[in-house]
Amino acid sequence: MIKFENKLELRYYFNDKSNYIDAMIRQRCEKEVLTMIRALSDLLDVKMTIYCEPCPQVGYREIWSVAGGSTRSISVLLNILCRC
């Protein structure tokens, strides 16, 4: 059983109050975030797996649950990422 201790929520805000996002732009944004997470995890030698989690929709948001061997290390890594 996988135990999720950390979560990273991505939210997209739109000037026109719509809930639509271009799929290609969304994919590029998520790739950038995942690339930063992978680079930090490799640098800090943190083993982890990221899963997409369903959530009720209000606007557009996505929640990624993060599981791994050291929840403390993952928490530190995600906090470093959010401060960038």
Side-chain angles (χ1 to χ4, degrees):
M1 180 171 171
I2 298 171
K3 184 176 180 183
F4 298 104
E5 295 290 337
N6 294 286
K7 295 179 190 270
L8 179 65
E9 184 174 325
L10 303 176
R11 288 190 181 196
Y12 300 89
Y13 294 95
F14 308 101
N15 291 334
D16 63 358
K17 308 273 191 237
S18 71
N19 292 332
Y20 297 100
I21 186 169
D22 182 284
M24 297 301 286
I25 292 171
R26 183 180 141 238
Q27 293 293 336
R28 284 194 303 250
C29 292
E30 291 175 358
K31 181 180 178 185
E32 288 293 322
V33 173
L34 290 168
T35 299
M36 288 187 286
I37 291 172
R38 178 58 58 209
L40 276 172
S41 68
D42 289 345
L43 182 67
L44 300 173
D45 196 32
V46 175
K47 306 291 188 254
M48 63 181 184
T49 304
I50 301 171
Y51 298 90
C52 290
E53 179 179 311
C55 64
Q57 294 297 321
V58 176
Y60 187 88
R61 67 183 204 175
E62 189 165 330
I63 298 174
W64 291 347
S65 298
V66 183
S70 172
T71 57
R72 183 175 297 232
S73 296
I74 292 169
S75 183
V76 168
L77 186 141
L78 292 177
N79 278 298
I80 290 171
L81 178 71
C82 290
R83 306 268 186 246
C84 294

